[in-house]
Amino acid sequence: MANTYEESTDLLRGEELLLYVKSGEKYIPIAFASSHTLSLSADTIDTTNKFSGQWKTVIAGQIGWQVSAESLVSRTTGHMSYQTLAKLMAKRQPIEVVMAEPKATPGELDDEFAMDETKKWNAGTAYITSLDKKADKGAICSSSITLQGTGALKDSTGVALDEAV
């Protein structure tokens, strides 16, 4: 049976996927986020030797992951905004992050965009390695965050990506 493809139902819109940070027992989305990027990388180990000729050879080494996000700065306390993230960074402790879909459709308020537990995409533990705030004349203040993953990145079922294959 051939696969069928339907853009209107198969594709995931960027606004349908939020970056959540665990706070206590609850996952809270980064407030007023405009984008986030998940990056996977693999180190390589040089295996070039006299038999390699003029071509370099490598094997795969360790795998790592990182998440970066851009957001607008909120004055409201209680949001997962710049101030809250700065306090988390100052603690120098790992935090749990999840990329998931909210229960509510974007634009609808539903318990502050509560995470839909059935629509998780990726999850893991990370350290905040950078946090920037930008204030341009004539614009809304924005912030950027980088989170460096520690340990395995998990898929939607909670299984480490290297175990899921």
Side-chain angles (χ1 to χ4, degrees), residues 8-157:
S8 64
T9 56
D10 290 347
L11 301 179
L12 181 65
R13 295 176 185 270
E15 59 269 17
E16 294 174 331
L17 192 60
L18 301 179
L19 178 59
Y20 291 85
V21 175
K22 189 170 187 181
S23 178
E25 294 302 311
K26 190 175 182 181
Y27 287 91
I28 301 173
I30 291 186
F32 301 103
S34 55
S35 68
H36 74 269
T37 302
L38 170 63
S39 301
L40 300 173
S41 63
D43 295 335
T44 57
I45 301 167
D46 187 358
T47 58
T48 306
N49 59 71
K50 292 180 181 182
F51 296 153
S52 302
Q54 67 183 8
W55 296 99
K56 187 178 222 182
T57 60
V58 298
I59 60 172
Q62 292 185 299
I63 300 169
W65 61 275
Q66 177 176 296
V67 177
S68 60
E70 304 289 324
S71 62
L72 302 176
V73 175
S74 171
R75 292 181 177 167
T76 305
T77 58
H79 284 179
M80 191 57 69
S81 189
Y82 180 85
Q83 291 300 104
T84 305
L85 294 167
K87 289 176 185 176
L88 287 173
M89 183 178 186
K91 288 182 179 180
R92 298 171 46 187
Q93 296 294 317
I95 58 174
E96 290 183 45
V97 295
V98 177
M99 284 137 279
E101 296 178 50
K103 288 181 183 176
T105 303
E108 297 176 9
L109 292 178
D110 177 36
D111 191 26
E112 300 176 23
F113 293 98
M115 182 173 68
D116 187 336
E117 294 283 342
T118 66
K119 295 183 179 175
K120 291 182 185 177
W121 285 84
N122 292 104
T125 303
Y127 286 91
I128 300 173
T129 57
S130 72
L131 182 63
D132 302 310
K133 185 175 4 179
K134 184 177 179 183
D136 290 332
K137 183 180 184 319
I140 303 294
C141 291
S142 61
S143 68
S144 302
I145 187 171
T146 302
L147 300 124
Q148 179 63 54
T150 180
L153 181 64
K154 298 175 182 163
D155 70 5
S156 61
T157 65

